[in-house]
Amino acid sequence: MSAIHPIVTVTGSSGAGTSFVKRAVEQIFARENLNAAIIEGDSFHKYDRMTMRAKVAESKENGGRILTHFSEYANEFEKLEELFAQYRETGTGKRRYYIHSDEEAAEHNARLGTNLKPGEFTPWEDIPEGTDVLFYEGLHGMVKRKDHGPAEGMHDVSQYVDLGIGVCPVVNIEWMQKIYRDTAERPYSVGQVRDVILERMEDYIEYIVPQFHRTHINFHRVPLVDTSDPFSTLKDEAALVPEPKNSLMVTHVRHQDIDLQAIADKIPGAWLQTPETLVYNSEHMVLAMDLLMSPIIHNLVERKRAALAK
């Protein structure tokens, strides 16, 4: 791992809650006065919105495996690995942005003098010099895949990561969170979201799940109320996702900088289920995230400063 140019990733499926963890990490960066190079996972998708729709439709017409955003065939794993490798060595690299909304389009067009629309990518740009840490949030921050192209090899993004954080709630909660988000914030029905979940399942198992064996911390939310029918349309939308107080957070830790028992002692009602697994009510997940991630990030910063001082 790089002492001078550390890399932190938050990885999880669509609807898992990676954005929530991202905000917690960014608060730690702010407290440590760190200038982070932010990398959005969907900026490494291979296709813009219109092209992806056409490619998905084509895959359905061909009767084979449906193309999804989880798959290596819809993403630039090679470019992502190149970015991580270059940043680790030099603190620089290329990034771009995927434009989600009219607001983001206006912001980037003003900055770049372009006329881009939602669903398109900005041009590749150099990461500004002088950042303290690279911070990735998305689907593939710990991906490791054999290349099936003409020049076969291995794309291993995870080898460059100093702190990998996995967000992997029990799958029913993950589906509920995705359904709630996509029906509340996007123009989809429960049935449409369910169909997308089913179409992505094979790629979810092949590309997303294996990453959680390579992370240093996994946040795994478990319900304490009935979530047996995540696709129900009979309940009020707000009731679809269990409240934090009605779930447990099972947190598995594989990192030498963490004294898990000391952290458990600071969280109300927390306990160690195993020496590597901390359990607590999800009401305390913000506190737990801060206690778990702060010492790791602080030590990354201290090692960086010590290396620069030599």
Side-chain angles (χ1 to χ4, degrees):
M1 299 297 110
S2 173
I4 299 179
H5 306 297
I7 297 174
V8 176
T9 66
V10 175
T11 297
S13 177
S14 175
T18 58
S19 296
F20 182 86
V21 180
K22 176 187 176 184
R23 290 193 291 271
V25 175
E26 288 176 332
Q27 288 176 2
I28 298 172
F29 287 161
R31 192 169 64 229
E32 293 282 344
N33 197 28
L34 297 179
N35 176 21
I38 305 297
I39 305 298
E40 300 172 355
D42 48 13
S43 67
F44 282 83
H45 289 332
K46 186 172 291 185
Y47 306 114
D48 63 24
R49 185 179 296 166
M50 295 302 294
T51 306
M52 183 64 179
R53 286 176 180 171
K55 293 289 185 181
V56 171
E58 181 182 335
S59 70
K60 292 180 179 180
E61 290 173 4
N62 291 338
R65 190 159 170 171
I66 297 174
L67 184 68
T68 80
H69 277 125
F70 295 166
S71 167
E72 63 191 302
Y73 304 108
N75 290 279
E76 301 282 8
F77 288 172
E78 184 175 2
K79 284 187 171 62
L80 183 59
E81 183 182 22
E82 288 174 357
L83 169 63
F84 280 22
Q86 184 177 355
Y87 189 87
R88 179 182 177 184
E89 292 297 320
T90 67
T92 60
K94 296 284 187 181
R95 69 176 175 186
R96 66 179 178 180
Y97 297 92
Y98 178 82
I99 300 175
H100 298 88
S101 64
D102 289 331
E103 292 76 16
E104 289 184 11
E107 177 185 343
H108 288 297
N109 286 332
R111 182 175 64 86
L112 297 169
T114 52
N115 189 30
L116 298 166
K117 299 177 179 62
E120 297 179 339
F121 297 104
T122 65
W124 291 101
E125 305 172 70
D126 290 324
I127 291 173
E129 294 184 3
T131 59
D132 299 304
V133 59
L134 183 146
F135 181 41
Y136 168 100
E137 182 253 337
L139 298 173
H140 299 114
M142 298 295 286
V143 77
K144 181 178 181 180
R145 291 292 302 172
K146 181 177 174 59
D147 183 5
H148 300 294
E152 289 197 354
M154 180 69 74
H155 296 309
D156 186 0
V157 170
S158 65
Q159 66 181 307
Y160 302 109
V161 177
D162 296 275
L163 172 57
I165 303 161
V167 187
C168 45
V170 167
V171 73
N172 277 20
I173 289 185
E174 185 172 300
W175 292 344
M176 287 177 166
Q177 290 175 168
K178 179 170 176 57
I179 290 167
Y180 179 73
R181 184 197 66 184
D182 287 0
T183 55
E185 300 177 9
R186 302 174 185 181
Y188 298 111
S189 68
V190 172
Q192 288 173 317
V193 182
R194 179 199 60 203
D195 290 344
V196 169
I197 289 170
L198 292 174
E199 290 170 356
R200 290 177 169 183
M201 185 53 61
E202 197 169 354
D203 285 341
Y204 175 83
I205 293 168
E206 184 170 346
Y207 294 94
I208 304 300
V209 173
Q211 295 182 80
F212 301 128
H213 294 290
R214 306 181 196 113
T215 48
H216 302 98
I217 303 174
N218 282 330
F219 292 102
H220 187 64
R221 189 176 171 204
V222 179
L224 293 173
V225 293
D226 184 17
T227 62
S228 54
D229 182 6
F231 304 111
S232 173
T233 58
L234 301 178
K235 306 172 189 175
D236 180 74
E237 277 192 346
L240 283 174
V241 183
E243 295 179 81
K245 67 180 180 181
N246 290 327
S247 63
L248 294 178
M249 190 69 75
V250 178
T251 303
H252 189 73
V253 179
R254 297 180 282 256
H255 203 285
Q256 70 278 1
D257 290 348
I258 292 294
D259 182 344
L260 209 53
Q261 183 60 64
I263 289 174
D265 293 341
K266 296 177 182 178
I267 300 173
W271 74 91
L272 296 188
Q273 185 66 29
T274 72
E276 298 84 25
T277 305
L278 174 66
V279 184
Y280 47 93
N281 190 280
S282 295
E283 281 189 307
H284 306 301
M285 56 187 170
V286 173
L287 170 63
M289 288 175 184
D290 189 58
L291 291 171
L292 286 161
M293 296 185 293
S294 289
I296 300 174
I297 293 171
H298 178 78
N299 288 343
L300 287 176
V301 174
E302 290 303 307
R303 286 194 285 270
K304 175 185 178 78
R305 290 169 178 164
L308 291 172
K310 289 183 179 179

